[in-house]
């Protein structure tokens, strides 16, 4: 049976909630429930400016309350600069440093207040920090499937950046459908061409979707050879800059259902997933 890695992203789901601050206890309780499900990785928090993402200002406190004694899931934290990477790398519990790298100059400035040239330098230093501290870097290629900001975009640009990141030492590259603009045709083309061309890279799909388009996107990526998928229970979160209010993260329950039908191995425990789903209802509804 084909093995698929599912990455659950409560950080992505929670960070956009601005109406209230989710208590540290509630976050920890939810993430602890997720840790019992069998996900490959939990994208649990971020080491970024609290002014930029106030909802994630308690990431260190949340981390201290997580029970990692009975889980095989690994923890990923998002970092946006060198200082964040240095801070995150101090914690033995964290395996992955996630860095959002956009091939859109406009979006890179909006997201990290850095140019692409500056961002590449930061990524290079983060890779050095990761090597020294025994961490791994997950690079997110934002705007990987299209660009709504008028910047040049085509599959050759994506391929060229993949080549550059590969030569820098990136081993895990998640193509990110930042504003939900991907189509099955583009998804299929990119993964079916990039995966065989870069055998040392583990490619992932961070897809944003509407409630009606999730299947065609997942199906295209999986059949093109992608075996790493990001999701969030009930599809909460996603990019606040998406044009469509219905565009959100890929719903994890849809991913689980799809891969069960495909008879792929995900290591998801159904009862534990139901418990985590119920915890999500307390957080998001």
């Amino acid at each position: 049976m084909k093995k698929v890695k599912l990455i659950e992203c409560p950080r992505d789901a929670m960070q956009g909630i601005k109406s209230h601050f989710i208590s540290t206890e509630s976050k920890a309780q939810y993430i602890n429930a997720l840790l019992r499900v069998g996900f490959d990785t939990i994208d649990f928090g971020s080491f970024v400016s609290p002014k930029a993402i106030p909802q994630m200002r308690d990431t260190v406190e949340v981390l201290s309350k997580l029970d990692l004694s009975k889980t095989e899931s690994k923890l990923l934290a998002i970092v946006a600069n060198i200082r964040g990477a240095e801070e995150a790398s101090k914690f033995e519990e964290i395996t992955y440093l996630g860095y959002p790298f956009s091939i859109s100059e406009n979006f890179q400035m909006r997201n990290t207040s850095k140019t692409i040239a500056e961002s590449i330098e930061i990524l290079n230093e983060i890779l050095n920090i990761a090597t020294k501290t025994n961490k791994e870097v997950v690079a997110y290629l934002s705007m990987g499937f299209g660009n709504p900001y008028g910047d040049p975009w085509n599959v050759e640009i994506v391929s060229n950046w993949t080549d550059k990141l590969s030569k820098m030492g990136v081993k895990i590259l998640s193509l990110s459908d930042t504003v939900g603009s991907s189509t099955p045709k583009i998804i299929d083309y990119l993964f079916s061409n990039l995966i065989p061309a870069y055998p040392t890279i583990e490619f992932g799909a961070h897809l944003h979707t509407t409630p009606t388009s999730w299947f065609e996107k997942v199906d295209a990526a999986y059949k093109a050879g992608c075996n790493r998928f990001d999701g969030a229970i009930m599809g909460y979160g996603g990019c606040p800059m998406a044009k469509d209010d219905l565009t959100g993260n890929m719903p994890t329950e849809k991913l689980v259902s799809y891969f069960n039908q495909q008879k792929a191995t995900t290591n998801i425990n159904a009862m534990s997933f139901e418990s985590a789903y119920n915890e999500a209802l307390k957080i998001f509804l």
Side-chain angles (χ1 to χ4, degrees):
M1 292 176 75
K2 203 170 178 182
K3 180 170 172 50
V4 171
K5 293 182 180 180
L6 294 185
I7 288 76
E8 180 65 17
C9 305
R11 183 270 319 163
D12 202 354
M14 290 188 284
Q15 70 178 11
I17 295 176
K18 297 176 181 176
S19 59
H20 64 284
F21 182 73
I22 303 167
S23 73
T24 302
E25 288 292 340
S26 294
K27 286 174 183 154
Q29 185 171 326
Y30 179 42
I31 296 169
N32 275 323
L34 294 172
L35 285 166
R36 295 189 286 270
V37 173
F39 293 110
D40 180 84
T41 303
I42 307 290
D43 174 353
F44 84 101
S46 59
F47 289 78
V48 299
S49 166
K51 290 182 180 178
I53 311 288
Q55 190 65 255
M56 294 290 105
R57 66 179 184 260
D58 60 346
T59 288
V60 172
E61 290 81 4
V62 170
L63 180 59
S64 71
K65 296 178 182 296
L66 299 184
D67 180 7
L68 302 174
S69 63
K70 297 177 182 177
T71 185
E72 293 185 8
S73 299
K74 297 172 283 291
L75 294 181
L76 179 150
I78 294 293
V79 299
N81 52 37
I82 293 167
R83 185 172 67 178
E86 289 174 337
E87 181 69 16
S89 65
K90 294 175 184 175
F91 295 92
E92 192 176 322
E93 302 94 327
I94 296 173
T95 299
Y96 298 112
L97 307 179
Y99 182 72
F101 175 76
S102 178
I103 58 176
S104 158
E105 194 79 65
N106 274 306
F107 189 75
Q108 190 68 50
M109 287 297 295
R110 286 171 182 241
N111 208 28
T112 64
S113 300
K114 297 286 188 295
T115 65
I116 288 179
E118 290 170 327
S119 186
I120 273 288
E121 291 180 13
I122 291 169
L123 175 56
N124 194 51
E125 185 56 35
I126 289 172
L127 286 163
N128 290 334
I129 292 168
T131 299
K132 293 174 185 174
T133 57
N134 199 30
K135 306 296 182 193
E136 294 182 63
V137 172
V138 178
Y140 295 87
L141 203 62
S142 301
M143 299 295 166
F145 297 97
N147 187 315
Y149 295 113
D151 298 316
W153 184 93
N154 55 53
V155 292
E156 286 76 22
I157 290 174
V158 178
S159 181
N160 288 340
W161 277 113
T162 299
D163 193 62
K164 289 177 184 177
L165 298 185
S166 173
K167 288 173 179 173
M168 287 173 64
V170 170
K171 300 295 184 189
I172 305 175
L173 183 61
S174 190
L175 302 187
S176 298
D177 182 16
T178 314
V179 293
S181 59
S182 67
T183 64
K185 184 177 180 180
I186 292 174
I187 292 170
D188 172 72
Y189 184 87
L190 285 174
F191 283 120
S192 61
N193 281 277
L194 292 176
I195 290 171
Y198 297 94
T200 61
I201 292 181
E202 178 183 332
F203 284 92
H206 186 98
L207 300 169
H208 290 171
T209 183
T210 62
T212 57
S213 63
W214 72 269
F215 179 88
E216 60 189 26
K217 294 189 178 192
V218 174
D219 194 54
Y222 182 61
K223 289 178 177 173
C226 181
N227 295 315
R228 178 189 175 96
F229 290 82
D230 290 10
I233 287 177
M234 292 185 281
Y236 278 101
C239 183
M241 296 162 195
K243 295 179 180 179
D244 186 344
D245 289 341
L246 292 175
T247 299
N249 276 309
M250 181 61 64
T252 308
E253 59 274 18
K254 301 294 189 185
L255 289 172
V256 172
S257 173
Y258 175 84
F259 290 119
N260 283 343
Q261 290 177 348
Q262 297 295 323
K263 294 183 168 50
T265 301
T266 60
N267 294 330
I268 299 299
N269 180 290
M271 290 187 67
S272 296
F273 181 78
E274 185 176 349
S275 296
Y277 190 96
N278 290 334
E279 288 295 329
L281 295 175
K282 299 175 187 176
I283 294 275
F284 299 110
L285 294 183

